[in-house]
Each structure stands twice: as C-alpha cells, then as structure tokens.
C-alpha cells in the first residue's frame, strides 16, 4: 500500500493486478497511473475511502467535547424535512457540556468528502490543473446545493469537511479546525 501511495504521489506507474476494472458494469481499461481506480464509483473503493475519512473527524470532534452521531438520516435531526427524506449526514455533532464549541455553539452537520483531481479516464478534472482547490470548490458548491435546507436552518451549521486526494482541504475544514483549537486553547500566541 505504501509503495502504491508513493508511486501515485510521484506520478510513477503502478502495476495493476488486472487489465480491466473489477467494478460491476464498468470493465474499463485500467491506466498505469491508477487514476481510474481512484475515481471509479462502481468498485466500492471510493466508499471505503470515505468511511476511513470519517473516523479522524469523529475523533477530533469528540476531543473538542462534542456528542457525535454517525450516518444520521437528516429527517431524524432538528432540521425540518420530509418524513421520506433519505439523505444522510456523515456526522451530526452537538456541543457537549464541556464547551460552547465552534460556530457559536450550533450543532454541526458535517459532510465528509474526498475528491480526486483526476477523472476515471485519467485526465484532470476541469480547472484542477490551473486553479488550486478547483475540484474541492466544486464539491463544496454541490454539497451546499444538496443540503440547502441545512444551510438555511437557524438550528444547524453545514460544514463540508472536504479534501482533494493528496491535496487541499476545503475552507470549512480549515476554519473548523481553527475554531475548535481556539475554543479549546484560546488565541494563538
């Protein structure tokens, strides 16, 4: 795994163990740099990467004094929505008794996302080659549109905890870390 990660980071060929993608209904030719496997939505790898990204955020929020719920249906929260709504929030975090927390003590509705800067065909995502954070910026815009009822709610704060694979964090992720550090340790000296 380490060799694969280093080779991907350095842009060196990865020797795939198959010639075609193992994803159901995909069967695309695998590229030697591993871009297809990083971006293909039909293999389950992207979901596994997503699940692994939730755990560190859960730990950070728990250490900051939040009560955490993972994979919570939006209809089971304090945000008004339809009883048939099937959308899930990756993390719903309510500030505990130990601290006011970030975002003026509002419950945090966190969507954790990791974006690949490459398409499954190996090309760069639009704007990724020329603009820093273009891929994560588009993902944040999509999430804000998808959860516009959370964004509009006076009882919740949508936080898109996103990053590009091997790259930049979303502005929400950076600002949340700063707010949590400030609420726990005070201003930086």
């Amino acid at each position: 795994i380490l060799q694969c990660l280093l080779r991907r980071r350095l842009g060196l060929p990865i020797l795939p163990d198959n010639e075609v993608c193992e994803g159901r209904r995909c069967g695309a030719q695998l590229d030697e740099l591993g871009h297809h496997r990083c971006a293909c939505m039909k293999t389950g790898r992207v979901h596994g990467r997503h699940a692994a990204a939730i755990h560190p955020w859960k730990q950070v929020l728990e250490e900051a004094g939040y009560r955490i719920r993972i994979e919570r249906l939006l209809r089971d929260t304090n945000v008004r929505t339809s009883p048939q709504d099937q959308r899930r929030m990756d993390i719903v975090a309510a500030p505990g008794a130990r601290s006011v927390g970030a975002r003026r003590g509002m419950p945090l509705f966190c969507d954790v996302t990791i974006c690949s800067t490459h398409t499954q065909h190996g090309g760069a995502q639009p704007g990724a080659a020329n603009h820093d954070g273009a891929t994560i910026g588009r993902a944040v815009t999509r999430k804000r549109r998808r959860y516009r009822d959370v964004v509009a709610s006076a009882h919740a704060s949508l936080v898109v905890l996103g990053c590009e694979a091997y790259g930049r964090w979303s502005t929400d992720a950076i600002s949340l870390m700063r707010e949590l550090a400030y609420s726990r340790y005070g201003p930086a000296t």
Side-chain angles (χ1 to χ4, degrees):
I1 292 172
L2 178 61
Q3 184 182 37
C4 180
L5 291 172
L6 288 173
R7 287 178 164 279
R8 266 195 59 75
R9 182 69 172 148
L10 295 171
L12 298 173
I14 299 169
L15 304 174
D17 48 356
N18 297 331
E19 303 233 351
V20 295
C21 178
E22 68 274 14
R24 280 189 182 183
R25 297 182 308 249
C26 183
Q29 285 291 120
L30 294 178
D31 61 293
E32 67 176 11
L33 297 176
H35 298 316
H36 179 83
R37 279 191 164 165
C38 187
C40 182
M41 299 300 285
K42 298 176 182 169
T43 63
R45 281 189 175 86
V46 172
H47 180 70
R49 184 176 66 200
H50 174 260
I54 290 174
H55 182 72
W57 283 110
K58 177 182 179 278
Q59 184 175 350
V60 164
L61 289 165
E62 283 175 340
E63 288 180 13
Y66 282 84
R67 295 182 317 272
I68 306 297
R69 300 286 173 120
I70 302 292
E71 296 289 336
R72 187 90 188 250
L73 284 170
L74 196 56
R75 68 177 182 224
D76 295 336
T77 67
N78 63 344
V79 174
R80 288 183 179 244
T81 186
S82 161
Q84 291 78 31
D85 193 344
Q86 293 296 312
R87 293 176 298 164
R88 291 182 184 270
M89 293 308 311
D90 295 326
I91 301 172
V92 176
R98 290 191 294 161
S99 109
V100 173
R103 311 287 159 104
R104 298 180 316 277
M106 284 232 231
L108 304 177
F109 284 58
C110 305
D111 184 286
V112 178
T113 188
I114 301 175
C115 304
S116 175
T117 54
H118 293 90
T119 67
Q120 57 185 328
H121 303 293
Q125 293 279 6
N130 304 339
H131 303 289
D132 294 340
T135 305
I136 194 64
R138 276 194 310 281
V140 169
T141 301
R142 277 193 313 272
K143 300 296 183 173
R144 292 199 184 290
R145 227 179 286 131
R146 177 176 167 85
Y147 298 111
R148 68 175 56 115
D149 46 353
V150 177
V151 172
S153 174
H155 306 293
S157 178
L158 178 68
V159 183
V160 181
L161 301 173
C163 71
E164 292 177 348
Y166 300 109
R168 289 172 172 73
W169 283 19
S170 67
T171 53
D172 280 359
I174 294 168
S175 67
L176 180 64
M177 288 298 285
R178 287 183 177 144
E179 288 178 53
L180 292 174
Y182 182 83
S183 70
R184 177 133 184 195
Y185 302 110
T189 56

